[in-house]
């Protein structure tokens, strides 16, 4: 299912990101109260076009990892900490025509952009109520566990602790009173750029499968 966000939170995110290089809007999707909530960075070009999270090349890898522990898109909630595609503008010379063309590749969202969507994500997490949160990559991990958290140190680990949520005035973060169960994972795009990580990532997903069964 596609979640319906409160209009005031959507309006606030729009206002706080006005003028920034962000485009489209890809909502989170999946069942309420699932075993797993997968949290990515932001939509890419393909996600922007079809409005389905993790539906591009890295999404195909993600579905394979999910299937390896008996899960799928149907029984997993999938979202991201930023809902609109961050892009940059680059002017490059076309090799065939020699003309200068403008391209809009994906980029990593800024800390301010992540914070702008923080109240929306907080509401989503409270509404979905997953058993386990799986941050995929550093952007999602740092949003939840703070700037010193690093995916290289924490991947595949079972972590039970408070997470960051937006402060009441939405200008920063504070720690939740509630503790959450998290299992950080490398972003699936990581294995596309560094195939040497594949065995590590596959092992991490098998660890996650065991953690699900033990909770």
């Amino acid at each position: 299912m596609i979640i319906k966000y409160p209009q005031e939170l959507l309006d606030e995110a729009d206002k706080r990101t006005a003028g920034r290089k962000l485009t489209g809007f890809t909502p989170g999707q999946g069942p309420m109260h699932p075993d797993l909530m997968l949290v990515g960075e932001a939509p890419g070009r393909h996600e922007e076009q079809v409005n389905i999270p993790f539906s591009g090349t890295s999404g195909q890898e993600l579905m394979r990892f999910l299937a390896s522990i008996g899960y799928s898109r149907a029984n997993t909630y999938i979202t991201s900490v930023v809902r609109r595609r961050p892009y940059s503008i680059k002017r490059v010379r076309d090799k065939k025509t020699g003309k200068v063309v403008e391209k809009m590749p994906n980029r990593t969202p800024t800390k301010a952009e992540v914070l702008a969507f923080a109240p929306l994500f907080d509401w989503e997490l409270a509404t979905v109520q997953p058993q386990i949160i799986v941050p995929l990559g550093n952007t999602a991990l740092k949003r939840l566990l703070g700037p010193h958290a690093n995916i290289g140190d924490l991947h595949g680990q079972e972590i039970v602790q408070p997470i960051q949520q937006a402060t009441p005035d939405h200008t920063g973060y504070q720690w939740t009173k509630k503790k959450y169960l998290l299992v950080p994972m490398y972003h699936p795009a990581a294995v596309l750029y560094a195939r040497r990580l594949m065995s590590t990532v596959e092992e991490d997903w098998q660890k996650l499968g065991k953690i699900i069964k033990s909770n």
Side-chain angles (χ1 to χ4, degrees):
M1 80 179 265
I2 298 175
I3 200 165
K4 184 172 176 58
Y5 299 100
Q7 191 60 48
E8 63 269 21
L9 292 180
L10 294 172
D11 292 343
E12 179 185 353
D14 283 346
K15 183 177 179 180
R16 296 180 68 187
T17 57
R20 292 182 174 270
K21 292 182 176 64
L22 297 165
T23 183
F25 185 91
T26 302
Q29 295 182 13
M32 297 296 101
H33 316 300
D35 290 343
L36 300 175
M37 177 189 238
L38 308 184
V39 184
E41 176 179 277
R45 188 182 303 278
H46 190 271
E47 287 76 15
E48 178 198 352
Q49 292 170 347
V50 301
N51 266 359
I52 299 172
F54 278 101
S55 53
T57 305
S58 63
Q60 293 172 14
E61 290 287 346
L62 182 60
M63 292 307 110
R64 189 172 68 79
F65 296 140
L66 262 181
S68 73
I69 60 169
Y71 282 77
S72 70
R73 195 179 289 276
N75 58 6
T76 305
Y77 194 90
I78 306 176
T79 188
S80 58
V81 295
V82 170
R83 313 334 280 282
R84 304 179 70 195
R85 180 174 80 88
Y87 67 90
S88 57
I89 297 177
K90 293 186 177 180
R91 292 172 177 84
V92 297
R93 191 172 298 279
D94 188 279
K95 292 180 180 178
K96 291 183 179 179
T97 65
K99 293 181 179 179
V100 175
V101 294
E102 194 173 85
K103 294 194 173 184
M104 297 167 58
N106 299 334
R107 63 170 172 81
T108 302
T110 66
K111 292 177 182 178
E113 288 163 351
V114 174
L115 180 59
F117 283 93
L120 195 69
F121 178 83
D122 293 342
W123 176 88
E124 185 172 37
L125 177 60
T127 302
V128 175
Q129 297 181 358
Q131 181 183 351
I132 301 172
I133 305 172
V134 181
L136 300 165
N138 266 324
T139 300
L141 179 64
K142 291 176 185 296
R143 160 63 178 88
L144 294 168
L145 296 187
H148 301 297
N150 187 281
I151 200 69
D153 299 328
L154 299 177
H155 66 90
Q157 295 186 30
E158 183 175 0
I159 300 168
V160 180
Q161 69 163 73
I163 62 171
Q164 288 190 146
Q165 64 180 7
T167 54
D169 63 2
H170 299 175
T171 60
Y173 297 106
Q174 63 186 19
W175 294 101
T176 59
K177 292 183 173 64
K178 176 182 176 180
K179 290 183 179 180
Y180 291 83
L181 171 55
L182 299 89
V183 183
M185 293 285 181
Y186 279 108
H187 194 283
V191 299
L192 299 176
Y193 301 112
R195 283 290 170 183
R196 68 183 185 279
L197 287 174
M198 182 63 81
S199 61
T200 299
V201 174
E202 289 176 340
E203 289 174 11
D204 286 348
W205 279 89
Q206 293 309 306
K207 290 178 187 176
L208 174 58
K210 293 176 182 177
I211 292 169
I212 296 168
K213 291 177 181 177
S214 66
N215 281 277

